[in-house]
Amino acid sequence: MFTGIVRELGTVESVEGNGDAVRLRVRAPETAERTTVGESVSVNGVCLTAVDTADGALEFDLVSETLRRSSLGRLEAGAAVNVEPALRAGDPLGGHFVQGHVDGVGRVLRVDEEGLEVAAAPELLRYFVEKGSIAVEGVSLTIAALGGESFTVALVPHTRAATTLGEVSIGDEVNLEVDVIAKHVERLLQPGYDPGRI
């Protein structure tokens, strides 16, 4: 579980392999120091399991589901990434509940002094509400406005400086995770849903 509050900007050191198996190495000294093998770390909004945490870097194995649902397979050495260690008991919950389970990839349509406009698939947009929460590249944001095929988010100067969102350009792909509460409500309201039947 995460909050969408990025704790460190990491740098991709290597992306090895292709197809169904990729090993990703990210330099993130602060996060690596507090992470042990087997713990979860969010990288650009994707919950990954650390398989190595030595020498100020984290290594992760990316499987086909992760590569299909997110933009991580398109990372290259030198790229900056948003890094957030898993939430621990007693940590402040400053953003919203983020699972690190990316629902899909959006495309940046507009970048201006206010923020970003991002195109998203209809199957994702149905979960969005104005002033609701959305995780973009693992960053907890508030939906400022909704269009028929897109949404906008405002970016304060701190968010631009402390995350990769300050460097995105038109056409860039971004990982999106909708509010998990909306998905549960939809499931409960489906006709014929019987909570006693598995």
Side-chain angles (χ1 to χ4, degrees):
M1 183 68 71
F2 307 94
T3 67
I5 304 298
V6 173
R7 301 298 179 189
E8 186 175 10
L9 273 174
T11 303
V12 174
E13 288 196 335
S14 62
V15 183
E16 298 177 354
N18 53 50
D20 293 337
V22 169
R23 174 65 63 95
L24 173 67
R25 181 178 172 86
V26 175
R27 177 149 300 280
E30 293 175 26
T31 306
E33 184 177 359
R34 66 173 278 180
T35 302
T36 59
V37 170
E39 289 188 327
S40 297
V41 176
S42 171
V43 177
N44 281 358
V46 182
C47 178
L48 301 174
T49 300
V51 296
D52 195 351
T53 63
D55 302 321
L58 300 150
E59 291 191 14
F60 310 96
D61 289 325
L62 310 183
V63 296
S64 57
E65 169 75 0
T66 302
L67 297 169
R68 188 175 73 254
R69 289 231 184 213
S70 76
S71 64
L72 292 188
R74 292 178 282 286
L75 288 174
E76 297 179 350
V81 289
N82 297 319
V83 178
E84 180 187 357
L87 184 67
R88 294 181 177 178
D91 285 350
L93 183 61
H96 71 282
F97 287 117
V98 176
Q99 294 181 297
H101 302 164
V102 170
D103 294 296
V105 175
R107 187 171 298 279
V108 177
L109 299 178
R110 181 173 47 86
V111 180
D112 59 28
E113 64 280 358
E114 295 267 329
L116 307 174
E117 180 180 4
V118 180
E123 58 266 25
L124 298 184
L125 284 171
R126 73 173 187 248
Y127 297 113
F128 292 17
V129 293
E130 199 168 301
K131 306 305 179 190
S133 297
I134 180 71
V136 179
E137 291 290 276
V139 182
S140 175
L141 298 170
T142 300
I143 297 166
L146 281 172
E149 299 178 342
S150 65
F151 67 97
T152 60
V153 291
L155 298 177
V156 299
H158 174 77
T159 301
R160 291 180 190 271
T163 75
T164 61
L165 296 183
E167 300 298 325
V168 298
S169 302
I170 293 172
D172 285 354
E173 292 184 330
V174 289
N175 293 320
L176 304 176
E177 181 184 335
V178 305
D179 192 337
V180 66
I181 296 171
K183 292 190 284 188
H184 282 295
V185 170
E186 178 187 59
R187 172 76 170 131
L188 291 170
L189 294 178
Q190 285 179 344
Y193 173 68
D194 179 358
R197 188 180 70 224
I198 297 177

